[in-house]
Amino acid sequence: MTRLIVVSNRVNPPTGKGDETVGGLAMALSAALREYSGLWFGWSGKTTETFTGELNVERHDGVTVATVDLEESDLNEYYNGYANKTLWPLFHYRQDLTAYDRSYGEGYERVNQRFAETLAPLIEPGDLVWVHDYHLIPLARELRRLGVKNRIGFFLHIPWPAHQLMVTLPGHQKLVQSLFDYDLVGFQTPDYRQAFEEYVLTEAQGVMVGSDLRAFGRTVKVGAFPIGVDAAEFAQMAKSERAWRTYNVMMAHTAFRSLIVGVDRLDYSKGLEERFAGFEHFLADNPEVRREVLFLQIAPVSREGVEAYQEIRARLDSLSGRINGEYADIDWNPVRYVNKNYRRDELAGVYRAARVGLVTPLRDGMNLVAKEFVAAQDPDDPGVLILSRFAGAADQLKQALMVNPNSPEEISEALKRALAMELPERIARWTQMFETVTRDDVSAWRDAYVGALSGVRETYTALAS
Ligand code: G6P
């Protein structure tokens, strides 16, 4: 059987016990790797004084996990710097927050070289290498320099920005060119794929060859592969003992008020300020139902080394305090704002207790909370999903109540509609969304991607073996 090597900056080995606390990418990858006797390579999350390239190797639930420590300067220039102060804001349409500092670009290149040098000796002929996300765009170029001839694929978990935005990045051509050292480049949605193609056709004199893209003297396959969740497992988890316990706690503490819930990493791309403003609007516009709701926002802190994250945290502290100050009563608080991280099985219980899931990012590659919210619902009495049209998930979850996350009025109206929605409509909408998240789940995503990667360029593998 072909071995799969997964590479990502953040590595979070599966425990198989539901006590993982991270979201997004790492969860999806651990679910995808569980069925392969694969290797997962990335950053240990730790720093040392000087880079040694020494591997920490562990086995978790059938997966070999190999990680390396980085230097403090790597952390500042590569992770906090180019990845999270340059690419992340730019790709999420926040040019105002994007910092262009040459040392960040250098750190980014350096860490990608270091990762390649540490990983290359672990790669055997026939292995498929699958690289994830914006931290590691130049990794294939570095691996090729070291003579790696295996099939290498890249998957971008975040949006690919519009052409006019991409060209504002100093050195954009070099970055895009490095994607042509992969055999397959995957995006979350057809829109992002199209934006990438448009860039290549206009900026790099690229041409389409069938469904492949040719530029910089190389041909690469491109595709849209919407990532999913382990829906069946999550639906089961929502009925676990721990989930029930959390569900009951929620029910008791909301005193049977309608629970509106949001769960996001504390990130400016998630539209939290706009969401709070939307909820405030709802309170102001609907005095008659005001005391019948409770808005729980769970937002574990994230990337605290980056100023923009410290600033959004301070603004949310003040916003939640202000709304509570304005509307709370001696026996009721409208907003419960929590920065703690919860176990997934507990979150499943929270989702199940909620009447409304509020998922309103300003931009989001996919958004897996939306899918997990759907997976966790009680089929006989499902909650309503309010979803931003700018989340990749909006492409698939068409039965959600769709909103423009920039509009507090739209969020307020959607809340009103969701809270008043009768059971038959809730069931009809939820049933279709549940079918979608179950069919297009994380295994379907992995199989589609790995299938496409396995199908390319057999010759290189033949040469390597
Ligand atoms: C998003 C990114 C991932 C990242 C995750 C958590 O989902 O696409 O690559 O791992 O956020 O962020 P962090 O910086 O903590 O890894």
Side-chain angles (χ1 to χ4, degrees):
M1 187 177 147
T2 314
R3 190 168 69 140
L4 181 65
I5 300 183
V6 162
V7 191
S8 62
N9 175 66
R10 176 76 61 191
V11 173
N12 216 76
T15 64
K17 295 188 205 117
D19 59 349
E20 301 94 343
T21 50
V22 291
L25 181 149
M27 277 319 302
L29 290 185
S30 60
L33 266 168
R34 222 172 295 152
E35 286 178 36
Y36 279 81
S37 49
L39 171 70
W40 191 355
F41 175 83
W43 177 39
S44 64
K46 299 195 194 96
T47 52
T48 46
E49 211 161 299
T50 46
F51 181 77
T52 62
E54 209 174 292
L55 280 172
N56 320 300
V57 183
E58 291 170 21
R59 272 194 73 78
H60 287 274
D61 209 21
V63 177
T64 304
V65 178
T67 56
V68 277
D69 302 343
L70 290 176
E71 274 176 27
E72 197 64 33
S73 61
D74 294 340
L75 181 70
N76 290 332
E77 293 165 3
Y78 150 81
Y79 174 74
N80 286 332
Y82 199 74
N84 289 322
K85 288 187 195 169
T86 310
L87 293 183
W88 177 273
L90 186 68
F91 282 33
H92 288 87
Y93 289 73
R94 292 300 301 269
Q95 215 190 335
D96 57 318
L97 297 178
T98 307
Y100 308 98
D101 187 312
R102 205 164 274 177
S103 71
Y104 296 167
E106 286 160 9
Y108 186 69
E109 300 276 326
R110 181 177 67 243
V111 170
N112 272 274
Q113 272 165 23
R114 288 180 164 173
F115 275 154
E117 278 159 16
T118 320
L119 174 63
L122 307 179
I123 301 175
E124 291 166 15
D127 286 349
L128 289 179
V129 183
W130 189 7
V131 179
H132 292 263
D133 232 359
Y134 57 103
H135 316 83
L136 300 173
I137 293 174
L139 191 72
R141 185 190 66 209
E142 298 306 322
L143 288 170
R144 299 287 183 221
R145 278 188 185 151
L146 296 169
V148 173
K149 298 201 180 335
N150 298 54
R151 281 164 290 186
I152 313 180
F154 179 78
F155 184 79
L156 184 68
H157 289 254
I158 66 175
W160 183 272
H163 170 208
Q164 287 308 329
L165 200 55
M166 191 60 201
V167 294
T168 62
L169 176 72
H172 55 89
Q173 272 233 359
K174 187 177 173 205
L175 188 75
V176 174
Q177 180 170 2
S178 65
L179 281 170
F180 282 75
D181 279 306
Y182 290 95
D183 296 294
L184 172 65
V185 175
F187 299 93
Q188 297 274 24
T189 69
D191 276 2
Y192 305 151
R193 170 198 166 153
Q194 235 174 32
F196 175 69
E197 286 173 356
E198 195 193 319
Y199 173 96
V200 173
L201 299 182
T202 42
E203 289 299 316
Q205 292 76 49
V207 286
M208 299 293 304
V209 184
S211 62
D212 300 351
L213 199 48
R214 184 159 184 81
F216 308 106
R218 291 188 47 90
T219 304
V220 74
K221 274 206 174 309
V222 283
F225 303 89
I227 194 171
V229 296
D230 195 338
E233 190 213 29
F234 203 75
Q236 256 333 98
M237 210 179 256
K239 291 184 271 185
S240 65
E241 203 193 314
R242 202 147 185 146
W244 273 117
R245 228 183 298 151
T246 315
Y247 174 92
N248 287 327
V249 168
M250 287 313 311
M251 287 319 236
H253 282 264
T254 51
F256 297 95
R257 291 190 165 95
S258 295
L259 176 66
I260 300 165
V261 73
V263 177
D264 308 79
R265 264 185 322 100
L266 209 173
D267 192 301
Y268 50 79
S269 65
K270 302 292 183 186
L272 294 169
E273 281 180 277
E274 293 76 3
R275 188 180 307 170
F276 278 34
F279 180 64
E280 191 175 18
H281 230 278
F282 172 82
L283 295 177
D285 286 354
N286 300 283
E288 67 296 347
V289 290
R290 202 179 275 168
R291 286 180 55 95
E292 287 165 25
V293 299
L294 176 80
F295 171 33
L296 168 66
Q297 175 64 52
I298 298 178
V301 289
S302 176
R303 304 178 191 163
E304 290 172 279
V306 179
E307 298 76 17
Y309 288 76
Q310 298 159 7
E311 285 160 13
I312 175 106
R313 184 175 187 190
R315 287 202 298 276
L316 288 170
D317 285 348
S318 122
L319 198 49
S320 58
R322 202 193 69 214
I323 300 174
N324 275 336
E326 175 84 23
Y327 291 99
D329 230 322
I330 49 171
D331 59 345
W332 167 74
N333 258 3
V335 178
R336 194 165 293 169
Y337 174 53
V338 186
N339 294 130
K340 236 174 92 172
N341 217 334
Y342 287 88
R343 295 166 51 110
R344 280 161 48 76
D345 44 10
E346 291 172 340
L347 285 180
V350 172
Y351 294 150
R352 207 175 169 92
R355 170 49 61 91
V356 183
L358 204 43
V359 183
T360 57
L362 304 179
R363 292 278 159 184
D364 212 332
M366 175 54 64
N367 196 296
L368 298 181
V369 168
K371 294 188 171 182
E372 289 189 342
F373 178 82
V374 170
Q377 295 307 304
D378 175 356
D380 296 326
D381 187 17
V384 179
L385 176 65
I386 297 179
L387 182 60
S388 160
R389 50 179 293 204
F390 303 121
D395 211 42
Q396 293 171 293
L397 302 178
K398 298 205 187 299
Q399 297 75 24
L401 293 187
M402 228 52 94
V403 291
N404 180 333
N406 299 295
S407 163
E409 288 90 350
E410 275 191 36
I411 293 177
S412 164
E413 285 156 15
L415 279 172
K416 189 166 184 190
R417 187 163 164 213
L419 291 163
M421 197 181 284
E422 302 282 355
L423 185 61
E425 184 178 352
R426 280 193 278 131
I427 291 182
R429 287 174 181 270
W430 173 81
T431 307
Q432 289 197 47
M433 290 195 284
F434 186 68
E435 267 171 36
T436 305
V437 297
T438 311
R439 185 192 59 226
D440 298 334
D441 68 355
V442 70
S443 314
W445 168 72
R446 177 203 60 206
D447 293 347
Y449 190 94
V450 174
L453 182 59
S454 315
V456 292
R457 234 175 28 92
E458 301 291 348
T459 44
Y460 257 24
T461 348
L463 279 174
S465 41

